[in-house]
Amino acid sequence: MKKCRSVLIIFLLFTCFSIAARAQTRNSLVLGKDHLIMLLDLRSSKTQLDSILKIAGIKKPNGAAILKGDFSSLAKDGWNIGRRDKNMVRFDRSLTDLNLNPQNPPYQITTNLDGNIDAPAGLPGYPPDELYGVNKFIQVTVFELPSGFTRFYLPGYLNAKRVLLSGNFNNWSTLKGVMTKTDSGWVSDVKLAPGGYEYKYIINGRWQRDKSNLRQRPDGFSDVNSVYYRVNNTFRLNGFTGAHKVTVAGSFNNWNTDNIPLQKKNGGWETKLYLRDGTHTYRFWVDGQWYADPANPVKVKDNEGHINSVLNQGEAVSFKLDGYKDAKAVYIAGSFNNWKPNEISLRKTATGWAIALMIPAGNYGYKFIVDGNWITDPQNHLYAIEGGVNNSFIAVKPNYTFRLKGHANAGSVHLAGNFNDWDPSGFTMAHNADEWVISLYLKPGKYRYKFLIDGSWILDPANKLYEQNEYNTGNSVLWVE
C-alpha cells in the first residue's frame, strides 16, 4: 500500500512537467473508475516515455522497446493494452491489482487526456443521441442476419494475419472483435440494439475505416470512424411507380425533403432507417407533392392544417389526472415536447383524464394544463425546479436509483450533480420508509454528485468513491456502464 501511494503522490508531480511537453506529445496518466489509465504517444522521445513509465510505477521502464512496438515490459507489470489509433496507445491497470483504495486519501488524478475517459455520447468515438439515422454504402458491408446479429464484412485482405473489429460497442477494444477469415474476406457477427455505432477495422495492427461506408464522423485523431445504424423501422409507400423521386420527411428530420430518399421496390417505394423512441409525425414527398401514409390509420392535423401520419416508437408512458370532470380540455406539456401547451390532449375517463405517450429514455419535467391553468401532477411527489418553476418530474427507463438512508426529520432532500448543472433545487428526492430516493436515466459515463439536506451539502455516505473539487469539499463519483 505504501508503494502504491508513493506512485500516486509522485504522479501528482507529473502534472507540473507534463505542461511543458503537452504541446509536442499527449502522454497522460489518469485515475478512472477502478483503473489507472495510461495514454502513450509513440511520437515521444525515449526519455519522455521513460519518464511517464517511471511515474506509472513500471519496474523496468523501456521506452526504446515501446517505440519499436514491444509492450512486453508493460504486460509483465500487469498493464493491459487497450485502444490503439495511429500513434496513440492506451493501457490500463486495475486498482484492485494495486491494492489501492482511491477513497483514502481522496485523489483527483487527471492530466490532459484526448479522447476523454468519461466517453459521453457525442465525443469522438461515441455517437450522439440522434433522432434518426440512415445508412449509405457504396457496397453493403454491414447488414442484419435472421439470427438478430449484425454482420460486419471486410472484403479482401486475404494475406492479413489478423483482423479485428473495434468500435464503441466493444469500447474500442484491441483484444476483442477478432474477425473470421473467409474465402473472400473477413466477417464478425455482433449483437447490437437499434441505434448508431462507430467502428473501424484493425488490419495487422493498423486502423482503417470501412471504405465502402459513406457515413463517417471525425475520430478525434485527424481521421474518421465509419458509422452504422442498426435500423428499427421501414417506411414504405405502395404504388407511385411512375414517380421520379420519393422521400420521407417528418418531425425527426425537421421536415427536410431531401435527405431520406426511398428506393423503388416491389411495386412501390421503400427505405429502412433508425428512429429513436418517441412519437413522430411524417409524410411522403412525391415529385413535389405531400402525401400522408395511406397504410397508417393514425393521423393528426398540425397547426398549419396539414394531415400528418403518426408513428409511435418505443414503450408507452401513462399519465393520469383524477377528477376535473367538468373541465372542457386537459393537455399535458413538458420538456419531452418543448413545453408546447396545446399539442398533447388527454382523453376523458370515468375517473378523470388520461393519456399514454411514447417518450424516449430520459429525465423530464411536466405539467397538466386544465382549461388553460398549469398544475403539477397531484399523484407525483417528485418534482424538478427549472428556471425557478416547480414542475412534476418523471424518469423514463431509469437505470440508476440514488438512495440516502436516514435523515427522517429533514424538510427536503435534493440531488445535484453534473447531470443537472449542479442546480441545488433541480431534483427533489422522495421520502420512502427510512430513506430518500430518486431514480434517473443516465447515459454511460462518469458523474459527480452530492445530496443537499435542508440547504447543507453532503457526500453520498454509501459511496466510497469520490474526488476533490474546487471548493475542497469533494464530490461523490458514479460510473454508469
Side-chain angles (χ1 to χ4, degrees):
M1 184 67 175
K2 184 180 295 183
K3 178 181 178 181
C4 296
R5 286 191 180 177
S6 298
V7 169
L8 288 173
I9 292 171
I10 293 172
F11 168 70
L12 292 175
L13 300 176
F14 169 68
T15 304
C16 299
F17 81 81
S18 67
I19 295 174
R22 194 171 295 164
Q24 290 78 33
T25 62
R26 291 183 289 174
N27 297 312
S28 302
L29 185 65
V30 298
L31 174 62
K33 199 178 181 180
D34 55 354
H35 282 70
L36 277 174
I37 297 173
M38 180 167 57
L39 190 70
L40 298 184
D41 188 338
L42 299 185
R43 294 168 296 183
S44 305
S45 67
K46 174 184 177 300
T47 302
Q48 288 174 322
L49 287 182
D50 283 340
S51 296
I52 191 171
L53 294 174
K54 289 178 181 178
I55 294 164
I58 309 299
K59 294 178 181 178
K60 295 181 179 180
N62 191 341
I66 288 176
L67 289 173
K68 296 178 181 178
D70 181 0
F71 306 133
S72 58
S73 61
L74 294 177
K76 290 178 182 178
D77 218 46
W79 290 83
N80 300 308
I81 184 172
R83 179 183 177 184
R84 178 172 181 175
D85 201 332
K86 292 187 176 179
N87 297 308
M88 305 305 298
V89 189
R90 173 171 162 160
F91 302 86
D92 71 83
R93 184 177 184 184
S94 171
L95 291 178
T96 304
D97 295 340
L98 292 172
N99 193 29
L100 172 66
N101 178 6
Q103 170 75 6
N104 185 24
Y107 290 102
Q108 182 179 17
I109 304 177
T110 179
T111 63
N112 185 40
L113 176 65
D114 295 343
N116 196 318
I117 60 169
D118 292 4
L123 288 184
Y126 293 85
D129 189 12
E130 298 170 290
L131 279 174
Y132 79 102
V134 182
N135 293 309
K136 189 175 182 181
F137 289 91
I138 299 173
Q139 170 191 350
V140 177
T141 52
V142 187
F143 50 91
E144 306 308 318
L145 299 173
S147 62
F149 282 83
T150 300
R151 171 157 293 179
F152 289 79
Y153 169 59
L154 175 65
Y157 298 97
L158 298 180
N159 294 325
K161 295 182 179 179
R162 180 179 170 91
V163 178
L164 293 94
L165 169 68
S166 186
N168 64 293
F169 42 79
N170 64 6
N171 201 27
W172 293 101
S173 173
T174 57
L175 300 176
K176 302 176 183 177
V178 177
M179 302 186 75
T180 301
K181 189 176 181 179
T182 70
D183 59 354
S184 60
W186 301 77
V187 297
S188 179
D189 297 341
V190 182
K191 189 71 172 179
L192 298 178
Y197 299 91
E198 296 186 22
Y199 68 98
K200 274 184 177 177
Y201 298 112
I202 309 175
I203 306 170
N204 289 340
R206 295 182 178 275
W207 291 81
Q208 179 177 292
R209 63 177 177 83
D210 185 343
K211 295 180 180 179
S212 296
N213 190 344
L214 298 178
R215 297 294 185 206
Q216 302 170 352
R217 188 173 289 119
D219 67 355
F221 293 93
S222 301
D223 199 2
V224 295
N225 294 327
S226 299
V227 179
Y228 174 73
Y229 296 98
R230 171 67 159 89
V231 301
N232 57 359
N233 268 282
T234 300
F235 283 101
R236 179 171 175 81
L237 178 63
N238 290 321
F240 297 92
T241 54
H244 297 289
K245 181 179 180 181
V246 178
T247 65
V248 64
S251 54
F252 44 83
N253 74 335
N254 292 319
W255 297 95
N256 187 319
T257 58
D258 293 323
N259 61 5
I260 309 181
L262 277 68
Q263 305 299 321
K264 193 177 290 188
K265 186 175 182 180
N266 299 328
W269 299 78
E270 187 176 291
T271 191
K272 298 179 183 293
L273 73 161
Y274 160 71
L275 269 185
R276 194 180 73 181
D277 287 355
T279 297
H280 307 282
T281 54
Y282 69 97
R283 281 177 281 162
F284 294 109
W285 178 258
V286 182
D287 289 343
Q289 296 292 323
W290 287 109
Y291 293 89
D293 188 348
N296 185 354
V298 184
K299 294 180 173 62
V300 64
K301 182 182 290 187
D302 63 21
N303 294 333
E304 298 178 357
H306 301 127
I307 301 299
N308 298 322
S309 298
V310 179
L311 176 63
N312 291 312
Q313 178 75 32
E315 298 179 8
V317 180
S318 297
F319 294 90
K320 185 173 68 170
L321 177 64
D322 289 336
Y324 298 93
K325 295 182 179 180
D326 296 329
K328 295 180 180 179
V330 177
Y331 293 87
I332 187 172
S335 50
F336 45 76
N337 77 330
N338 294 319
W339 294 98
K340 296 178 181 178
N342 300 312
E343 184 179 67
I344 307 173
S345 59
L346 279 70
R347 61 178 177 81
K348 202 167 189 177
T349 67
T351 59
W353 302 79
I355 193 172
L357 299 176
M358 299 292 180
I359 304 177
N363 307 305
Y364 304 96
Y366 71 96
K367 275 185 175 177
F368 295 114
I369 310 167
V370 182
D371 290 340
N373 297 313
W374 294 74
I375 66 170
T376 55
D377 187 345
Q379 294 181 319
N380 185 355
H381 299 296
L382 295 175
Y383 64 89
I385 298 177
E386 303 173 59
V389 178
N390 187 26
N391 300 314
S392 297
F393 170 79
I394 186 172
V396 179
K397 294 185 179 179
N399 57 355
Y400 189 82
T401 299
F402 292 88
R403 302 179 183 275
L404 177 64
K405 295 282 188 180
H407 303 279
N409 297 323
S412 66
V413 177
H414 293 81
L415 170 69
N418 60 335
F419 40 74
N420 70 340
D421 294 327
W422 292 97
D423 185 344
S425 57
F427 293 127
T428 300
M429 302 180 71
H431 194 211
N432 183 13
D434 64 338
E435 62 181 3
W436 298 80
V437 298
I438 188 171
S439 297
L440 299 180
Y441 170 77
L442 299 174
K443 297 177 182 177
K446 178 182 178 181
Y447 297 92
R448 304 166 184 84
Y449 69 98
K450 271 186 171 180
F451 298 119
L452 189 64
I453 305 173
D454 292 336
S456 298
W457 293 92
I458 71 164
L459 294 169
D460 184 350
N463 184 357
K464 293 183 178 181
L465 185 61
Y466 68 91
E467 65 182 28
Q468 200 53 272
N469 58 22
E470 65 269 31
Y471 305 107
N472 203 34
T473 57
N475 296 320
S476 294
V477 175
L478 168 69
W479 286 85
V480 176
E481 296 291 345

